[in-house]
Amino acid sequence: MSDVGATAPTAADGPSTGRRELTYAVLLCLAGAGLAAWAATRTWSVEVLARGTLPPSRQERSGADLLPWLSALALVALAGGGAVLATRGRVRRLLGGLVALLGLAVAAGGGYGLVAAGGVEVHRQWPALCLLGGLVAAGGGLLTARRGAAWPAMGARYERTVRADGPDRRAAGGSNREAWDALDRGEDPTVS
């Protein structure tokens, strides 16, 4: 008999599931924040100013002009999405929560751009894309905050280990002066 009420697989089910979830979360964060940062630089409204007998002047305003903090928050969320790869455990979960909050703030800015009438011509597609990007980034951050502690981290080959008996003479108490003196004498310090 099949188990109809089976639960969804968790990150503890295997390393491939954890890697897959990590990949999805990072892609959601990067794609959403990147979309929002790009949409914030597009023209959201055009204001036409009458100038007497002269032709009217057009002043284009981007999302970054209307809400200066919007593109900055989107770029911080973009950096946070990349930083998810370099963190682990509690720090990764906290970072995911921060990216989720940043994504919601960016989405709120996009929502504000949708309802605010800032000129004669209003281009609603850019605030809508900013809203969508913020929500996607928030979703990636929420996934990271909820399940990120169980995901795999970078391998040990990326961590620096210093041993006193190893080839790093500076860590073992040797000096750079000795190596330079050996070079002056014509000796190769790399040959043991």
Side-chain angles (χ1 to χ4, degrees):
M1 184 179 252
S2 68
D3 188 12
V4 177
T7 60
T10 63
D13 289 341
S16 68
T17 303
R19 282 191 197 103
R20 186 174 23 248
E21 286 180 353
L22 173 63
T23 303
Y24 290 154
V26 169
L27 288 177
L28 284 172
C29 291
L30 294 179
L35 177 66
W38 177 72
T41 62
R42 305 293 106 200
T43 301
W44 286 20
S45 68
V46 178
E47 187 176 352
V48 179
L49 301 172
R51 301 185 307 173
T53 59
L54 296 172
S57 69
R58 296 172 49 93
Q59 185 174 8
E60 296 180 351
R61 295 183 183 222
S62 68
D65 293 335
L66 298 172
L67 303 169
W69 49 268
L70 186 62
S71 57
L73 289 183
L75 290 175
V76 171
L78 187 66
V84 166
L85 291 172
T87 57
R88 69 174 77 161
R90 266 195 191 139
V91 175
R92 183 181 279 169
R93 291 184 72 187
L94 289 172
L95 182 63
L98 177 65
V99 170
L101 290 175
L102 289 169
L104 290 175
V106 169
Y112 173 78
L114 281 174
V115 298
V120 174
E121 294 178 37
V122 178
H123 305 284
R124 302 240 187 254
Q125 71 270 21
W126 305 120
L129 284 176
C130 194
L131 172 72
L132 176 67
L135 290 176
V136 168
L142 209 60
L143 179 62
T144 303
R146 189 158 179 226
R147 304 187 45 135
W151 295 340
M154 293 174 94
R157 64 180 169 198
Y158 297 109
E159 294 182 11
R160 181 177 180 192
T161 58
V162 177
R163 298 183 315 209
D165 60 343
D168 190 359
R169 290 188 180 137
R170 287 179 291 170
S175 70
N176 284 334
R177 178 80 177 176
E178 294 170 6
W180 286 108
D181 289 340
L183 283 174
D184 288 340
R185 288 189 304 268
E187 297 174 10
D188 186 3
T190 60
V191 176
S192 300

